[in-house]
Amino acid sequence: MNVIPVDIDHAEHSVGGSGGHWFRRFTHVGMCVIPFAYHLWGDTIAGAVSMTPREFVIAVAISFIVIEALRLKFGIIIVGQREYEANQISALAWGAIAVCLTLILAPQEGTGLEAGKYTIPIICGLTFVDPIMGEVKRAKHGMRGAVIVGMTVSYTIWMGSVALFSTPFIAALLLAPLTVAGEVPRVRWIDDNATMILFPLIALLLLHPLF
């Protein structure tokens, strides 16, 4: 198993160096708008191409898979990507597909942002917790320090969702740590952009009848 060191400085291995690294971080955080756009304007956006919101997300997921396959075929890496991503599925592709799966599979009860009671904290957990934990590790505070900070941020997001979007408290209590758990595996065959979403998403699908 090809293991990634916990305190690796990704800026040194990113296309564009430090600038590319921070471009990647800000792009990551910017993805937090996706669930809000989906629940507020999904019908309008998808309707422009005569699709339902779910069909539109499926089409986007398929497009990412095709684009990623072509990128891998030609060994292309862009600004912010890391050198090793020339020969493996990129973090961007893992994250994009995982976000799409959340919007497709997660229960969506109610209307407007209330329908995002699960999609919003799951996706925002990825967009905020991942880069923050990454910077804590990059600052040489180790996995323990990263987990403490990550848990604080994750619970803030989930409890905020309880207050704002009627997320069940028990769901927030149980699923928030799974976002952080998704950051722990340090392997190259799957990116934490996927596991930080898939861990809470799978648990939600299994436990949802209890919520």
Side-chain angles (χ1 to χ4, degrees):
M1 184 179 295
N2 200 356
V3 179
I4 301 173
V6 168
D7 59 353
I8 187 173
D9 187 350
H10 286 297
E12 296 178 358
H13 304 280
S14 298
V15 176
S18 181
H21 171 75
W22 286 110
F23 173 77
R24 180 189 182 103
R25 290 295 195 218
F26 285 121
T27 300
H28 210 288
V29 172
M31 289 172 63
C32 70
V33 305
I34 293 173
F36 293 94
Y38 178 84
H39 293 294
L40 290 174
W41 308 300
D43 287 324
T44 301
I45 295 169
V49 288
S50 301
M51 291 182 176
T52 65
R54 189 170 185 272
E55 290 169 343
F56 183 79
V57 173
I58 291 172
V60 170
I62 293 172
S63 298
F64 267 104
I65 292 170
V66 172
I67 292 169
E68 184 67 6
L70 291 172
R71 187 194 68 80
L72 285 171
K73 179 177 175 61
F74 295 105
I76 299 169
I77 48 175
I78 62 174
V79 173
Q81 289 189 319
R82 289 152 189 166
E83 297 160 352
Y84 60 78
E85 290 179 302
N87 301 305
Q88 68 178 59
I89 299 174
S90 67
L92 174 62
W94 276 119
I97 293 168
V99 166
C100 288
L101 284 174
T102 302
L103 296 175
I104 293 167
L105 298 176
Q108 297 176 28
E109 304 150 352
T111 59
L113 293 180
E114 186 176 344
K117 64 181 64 177
Y118 298 118
T119 58
I120 291 172
I122 288 176
I123 293 171
C124 288
L126 166 68
T127 63
F128 288 103
V129 176
D130 179 55
I132 290 172
M133 289 184 68
E135 289 308 307
V136 171
K137 289 182 289 185
R138 184 168 172 246
K140 309 298 182 183
H141 294 300
M143 181 59 78
R144 183 174 181 274
V147 167
I148 292 171
V149 173
M151 288 288 284
T152 302
V153 175
S154 188
Y155 267 115
T156 299
I157 291 169
W158 278 93
M159 292 306 167
S161 190
V162 171
L164 297 173
F165 312 123
S166 302
T167 304
F169 177 80
I170 188 65
L173 192 66
L174 295 176
L175 299 182
L178 297 182
T179 298
V180 178
E183 170 74 10
V184 175
R186 308 305 303 164
V187 296
R188 292 193 191 274
W189 59 271
I190 185 169
D191 193 83
D192 55 26
N193 278 3
T195 53
M196 293 183 78
I197 278 185
L198 293 179
F199 284 9
L201 177 60
I202 291 170
L204 169 63
L205 296 175
L206 293 174
L207 299 174
H208 182 250
L210 303 177
F211 301 153

